[in-house]
Amino acid sequence: MKIALKVTSCLSILLALFLIYTCICELQENATISDISFLPLLILIIVLANAVLALFLLIGKVKQLREFLILQIFIIVPTSLLLYEILFNSTISCT
C-alpha cells in the first residue's frame, strides 16, 4: 500500500501541475480571469488541494491512509480524462 500511495501522490502532483500549465496557457491567449467558469475553477481547486495533500504525504507530514488512496484515485481518473479532452479535443478548454 505504501508504494501505491507514493505513485498516486506523485501522479496527483504531476496532473495538478499540468492542469495549472494548461490553464495559464489559455489565460495568456487574451482571456481574463473573469472568463473562467465556476465549474472548472472548482475542479482546479479540488485538484490543487489533492496535490497539496499528496505533497504532505510524500514529505511525511500526513499519515498514510487507505481512504486517502481511494480519494486520490477518484480525483486522478476524472482529471486525467479532463486533460485528455483538453489536449486532443479543441472545443474543450479550462475557460
Side-chain angles (χ1 to χ4, degrees), residues 21-92:
Y21 174 74
T22 56
C23 288
I24 289 173
C25 286
E26 287 185 15
L27 286 175
Q28 288 179 347
E29 297 174 358
N30 298 329
T32 61
I33 295 177
S34 62
D35 292 340
I36 297 176
S37 305
F38 175 71
L39 190 59
L41 182 64
L42 182 66
I43 292 170
L44 181 67
I45 291 170
I46 291 170
V47 169
L48 286 176
N50 184 37
V52 169
L53 285 174
L55 182 66
F56 285 155
L57 182 96
L58 286 175
I59 62 175
K61 293 200 176 204
V62 176
K63 291 192 300 185
Q64 298 177 353
L65 299 171
R66 183 178 308 163
E67 293 81 15
F68 187 63
L69 177 65
I70 294 169
L71 176 71
Q72 279 187 330
I73 291 171
F74 280 129
I75 292 174
I76 287 173
V77 171
T79 305
S80 300
L81 293 173
L82 173 71
L83 288 172
Y84 174 78
E85 288 294 323
I86 288 172
L87 290 175
F88 297 109
N89 189 355
S90 62
T91 60
I92 296 177

